[in-house]
Amino acid sequence: MDGIPLDETYTWSTARAGGVTRSQIRIDGIRIARGLYVSRSAELDLRARCRAWAQVLPRDAAFGLGTAVALLDAGAAPSPVHVVVSPRRVVPQRSGITVHVRSLADGDVTEADGLRVTSGAQTFLDMAAVLSPAELLALGDALLRGGHLDHEALGRRLARAGRVRGVVRARQWAPHLSAAAGSHPESTLRYWLLVSDLPAPELQVPILDPSGREVVHADLGYSRWKVALEYEGRQHAECDQFGRDIDRYSLMAADGWLTLRFAARHLGRPHAVVGRTRRALESRGWRPGMS
């Protein structure tokens, strides 16, 4: 607000102490909790809400679980905001946030846009208790892809996790995470193949021309049998992308590749994904027991 000493986020008490009137707060502020505001001059997104909450949370608090996932750009923002604090006699409880108690080491907290956030490894461990295995694999892939996680850091965190809830699932799927997974849907397709009796698929499979030059690559596939799997989101319906896809699939077919194309409708149909992949592999000579 012009001429008024208000930040993008503020509390009632700090605004009043700075000389801001009640009516000015009512005009400028969007109330997200009792005594806590985001200015109408700011975009009311998750980051703005977290910056507001940071003003009233304990200094050791960090945003965690689904909120950390969103702040690390690895998934959608949840509601309410999830906060992690160290063990204490009185845990802060306020409408609009869900508070979780964790004993965190220094490496379990990082920073994202100036906000304290649980690290990629800690976030993966926490979410292992609430996500399905398919969703957890996709999350881990996204954290790796975004540079918020690496296998070494995850291994160290899981090694000292003890018997916390979700650690068994986290340890089970940690070795399968890959930054090469291009998207959440690709991770989902890969999950269904990993839990089947089919060979584990390769990621970002290079397609070579007769001279050995890479011309395109497939999302998932099996080089030995020249079977490729492609996930096609909405962007593939755009005219330019459609034309590029035609070129890509023609090149792949010319070099002997059999390409299976999947879309959003198949993500909840694992039997279709696995069954069609099985038939494609069998048509190229694969048999059960072959790796």
Side-chain angles (χ1 to χ4, degrees), residues 245-259:
D245 288 342
I246 293 296
D247 283 339
R248 190 155 56 100
Y249 296 138
S250 295
L251 286 167
M252 294 169 72
D255 288 314
W257 283 80
L258 173 58
T259 304

Side-chain angles (χ1 to χ4, degrees), residues 78-287:
S79 183
V81 169
H82 290 266
V83 176
V84 175
V85 299
S86 60
R88 64 222 314 125
R89 291 184 63 184
V90 179
V91 176
Q93 298 290 344
R94 294 188 60 166
S95 177
I97 61 172
T98 298
V99 179
H100 310 264
V101 177
R102 298 283 189 277
S103 295
L104 301 180
D106 290 341
D108 298 333
V109 177
T110 186
E111 187 174 290
D113 293 331
L115 295 165
R116 281 174 55 84
V117 180
T118 53
S119 68
Q122 180 65 44
T123 302
F124 181 81
L125 175 58
D126 284 338
M127 295 303 291
V130 297
L131 293 181
S132 69
E135 292 170 328
L136 185 64
L137 177 70
L139 170 61
D141 287 349
L143 290 170
L144 278 170
R145 190 166 59 243
H148 302 296
L149 181 64
D150 62 71
H151 285 283
E152 184 178 352
L154 181 57
R156 290 196 303 269
R157 181 63 190 93
L158 296 182
R160 59 180 175 83
R163 297 182 179 180
V164 301
R165 184 167 170 253
V167 68
V168 173
R169 179 172 292 173
R171 288 172 176 161
Q172 177 185 2
W173 287 101
H176 299 287
L177 305 184
S178 175
S183 66
H184 190 294
E186 288 179 29
S187 296
T188 301
L189 294 178
R190 184 163 68 97
Y191 170 80
W192 295 124
L193 296 172
L194 288 173
V195 297
S196 74
D197 63 343
L198 299 180
E202 304 158 50
L203 291 88
Q204 305 304 320
V205 185
I207 309 299
L208 309 178
D209 65 13
S211 65
R213 180 175 61 93
E214 181 177 341
V215 289
V216 294
H217 68 268
D219 295 336
L220 301 165
Y222 302 89
S223 299
R224 178 178 175 181
W225 295 284
K226 283 196 169 184
V227 172
L229 286 73
E230 291 282 287
Y231 177 79
E232 300 192 352
R234 291 183 179 180
Q235 74 276 11
H236 288 267
E238 297 174 0
C239 184
D240 288 345
Q241 183 62 51
F242 181 77
R244 289 192 293 271
D245 288 342
I246 293 296
D247 283 339
R248 190 155 56 100
Y249 296 138
S250 295
L251 286 167
M252 294 169 72
D255 288 314
W257 283 80
L258 173 58
T259 304
L260 303 179
R261 301 164 68 182
F262 296 101
R265 63 182 295 177
H266 300 108
L267 296 180
R269 298 167 59 191
H271 295 298
V273 173
V274 174
R276 293 175 193 183
T277 303
R278 182 190 307 280
R279 289 162 58 191
L281 287 171
E282 289 176 342
S283 76
R284 294 304 179 92
W286 173 85
R287 294 294 180 268

